[in-house]
Amino acid sequence: MAEAADSLPPAEVLLSKRVQEMVINQEEPPHLYICRKSGEAADEEQEENVSSDPLSQIPLIDLSILSSSSSPSSERDRELQKLGLALSSWGCFLATGHGIPSSFLDEIVRVAREFFEQPMEEKRKLEKGVEEFEGYGADPVPAKGQPLDWSDRLFLDVYPEERRKPKFWPENPPSFRDVLEEYTVKMRMMTEAVSKAMAKSLGLQEDCFLIQFGEKAPLQARFNYYSRCPRPDLILGLKPHADGSGYTIILQDVEGLQVLKGDKWFTVPTIPGALLVLMADQMEVMTNGVFKSPVHRVLSSSERDRLSVAVFYTPEPNKEIGPEEALITEERPKAYKTVKDYADVHWDYYQQGLRAIHLAKV
């Protein structure tokens, strides 16, 4: 029998519990997690909107061709053209040849899984309040009427070092901190390589985006754990949204992430050793709308759990960013304003289930 509306637990109460805990206790998903229609009509609508076209795939880009001076120039030019096309049509690409060994990516997934597989009392040592952002738990309480995500996460500032809060960095598993420290170094190298490659794909000075981001552009790591869900037809692991960072680099152990292109959802495949590079709103602004910041979501699954590690690369706080001058032409007039601390504004809108990109438009 349904509970009376006034006796239903508010979001704050639910967010103080972990999804993983509810699954272990075999609890029914509370109504605040439900965000999809049920029934046959919904099944048809959801199937219609998911692409099954095997030829329409998220592009693969080999970064080693773009960063090596020994690559033939014709091969490099081809890969740059492919990159520009990927980001202007998809807003993302799967990166290979990034220099991070597959064995190390496996290590990241291993320590992250070990963290989430610990007893609740161990993880609760890093727990955040329901309104706080950094630490272990769920995202802060969304606006009324917005569904909750079927996931638990550990969110950490990782660069620059002075932004780190050691109290939230796990001591168990014992290798977690060292592995994350090393991954941060590798992410810094990768964001430099990606930023230069993107600039060159547009015929711009290779350092132009790095200058806009700033030398101390923050990196934040988000470890997401998606427990098995008894009602994947009604509940999403992560609701549809676009990111508010510059761009995001995502490692996933199994499929579940989908990107919206046109009116269809495309599943991001898991390719061993590949990392998804996903444009966010601030990169759309810097490219004057040439690169797209795509809406994406995470499906839930009744068959398996899922883990992902997302690293957000965002311009320095208080730093103004705007469209690159060379990308403003008569054919493509200035479409975006100069913005500062856009990620904060984006978050306010995200909590209401809305996009904020219109605020940056001219």
Side-chain angles (χ1 to χ4, degrees):
M1 190 173 148
E3 296 172 85
D6 57 0
S7 69
L8 290 168
E12 289 85 349
V13 174
L14 289 175
L15 290 175
S16 66
K17 294 177 75 170
R18 299 283 55 80
V19 169
Q20 204 175 355
E21 207 173 6
M22 288 192 271
V23 172
I24 290 165
N25 297 337
Q26 297 184 321
E27 296 173 34
E28 273 295 301
H31 81 294
L32 284 177
Y33 285 93
I34 292 170
C35 63
R36 306 172 89 185
K37 297 176 191 168
S38 60
E40 278 178 38
D43 289 343
E44 281 169 26
E45 183 188 311
Q46 281 157 20
E47 274 172 33
E48 271 171 29
N49 288 346
V50 176
S51 172
S52 54
D53 179 2
L55 296 174
S56 195
Q57 294 291 338
I58 291 165
L60 266 163
I61 304 291
D62 186 344
L63 293 178
S64 66
I65 294 172
L66 301 178
S67 54
S68 167
S69 52
S70 60
S71 302
S73 60
S74 59
E75 189 182 16
R76 204 159 52 237
D77 290 348
R78 251 197 326 273
E79 206 68 7
L80 282 172
Q81 193 177 9
K82 211 167 110 185
L83 174 65
L85 197 59
L87 295 177
S88 57
S89 57
W90 287 87
C92 62
F93 66 92
L94 282 158
T96 60
H98 42 62
I100 305 172
S102 290
S103 58
F104 184 70
L105 296 177
D106 293 343
E107 182 72 358
I108 295 280
V109 170
R110 184 186 67 75
V111 297
R113 276 198 167 272
E114 278 185 26
F115 168 76
F116 285 108
E117 283 164 4
Q118 294 179 105
M120 284 308 302
E121 58 268 22
E122 187 63 34
K123 289 179 290 207
R124 285 201 189 279
K125 291 176 184 175
L126 311 177
E127 197 159 45
K128 56 181 245 357
V130 290
E131 291 296 349
E132 292 172 319
F133 209 87
E134 201 169 350
Y136 168 68
D139 280 344
V141 182
K144 195 169 183 184
Q146 287 303 304
L148 305 182
D149 298 319
W150 193 255
S151 60
D152 300 309
R153 86 319 183 258
L154 174 67
F155 192 98
L156 301 169
D157 282 322
V158 296
Y159 182 83
E161 283 189 35
E162 59 264 27
R163 285 175 63 104
R164 293 179 185 173
K165 297 185 186 67
K167 67 175 183 177
F168 289 127
W169 283 53
E171 291 180 2
N172 286 308
S175 59
F176 189 102
R177 291 182 172 203
D178 288 343
V179 170
L180 180 53
E181 183 92 48
E182 193 179 338
Y183 195 50
T184 302
V185 171
K186 293 182 186 308
M187 284 291 103
R188 287 200 67 213
M189 292 163 69
M190 186 169 169
T191 52
E192 184 175 337
V194 168
S195 298
K196 286 180 174 180
M198 292 194 300
K200 286 192 279 194
S201 78
L202 292 165
L204 304 172
Q205 286 288 336
E206 71 169 13
D207 286 347
C208 68
F209 295 134
L210 290 170
I211 290 165
Q212 288 225 50
F213 276 95
E215 276 180 39
K216 294 211 163 182
L219 290 174
Q220 296 165 308
R222 180 182 171 119
F223 296 82
N224 300 298
Y225 181 73
Y226 300 94
S227 296
R228 285 190 293 181
C229 178
R231 295 302 305 267
D233 55 326
L234 300 178
I235 293 170
L236 286 170
L238 193 58
K239 57 181 164 282
H241 67 286
D243 290 349
S245 57
Y247 56 90
T248 310
I249 299 175
I250 301 169
L251 167 65
Q252 57 172 0
D253 66 347
V254 295
E255 288 178 3
L257 177 64
Q258 292 187 327
V259 172
L260 188 66
K261 182 174 184 265
D263 60 352
K264 292 214 179 297
W265 291 101
F266 291 82
T267 298
V268 178
T270 46
I271 296 170
L275 292 164
L276 182 75
V277 179
L278 184 83
M279 295 299 99
D281 287 0
Q282 296 194 59
M283 207 64 220
E284 186 169 319
V285 171
M286 289 186 220
T287 61
N288 198 34
V290 178
F291 292 171
K292 302 292 180 272
S293 169
V295 171
H296 50 287
R297 68 181 183 184
V298 175
L299 301 181
S300 59
S301 167
S302 58
E303 292 166 16
R304 60 190 180 190
D305 60 0
R306 177 179 178 272
L307 187 126
S308 71
V309 184
V311 173
F312 303 97
Y313 180 50
T314 307
E316 286 176 2
N318 297 315
K319 194 169 190 308
E320 288 196 331
I321 62 118
E324 282 292 325
E325 286 297 326
L327 298 176
I328 300 168
T329 61
E330 269 187 47
E331 298 78 48
R332 185 183 279 275
K334 186 174 180 179
Y336 295 85
K337 299 180 278 199
T338 300
V339 294
K340 187 165 72 167
D341 294 329
Y342 171 85
D344 297 341
V345 179
H346 167 275
W347 178 252
D348 293 339
Y349 275 75
Y350 172 82
Q351 288 292 75
Q352 300 169 61
L354 302 169
R355 290 199 68 177
I357 191 75
H358 66 280
L359 299 172
K361 289 187 174 171
V362 169

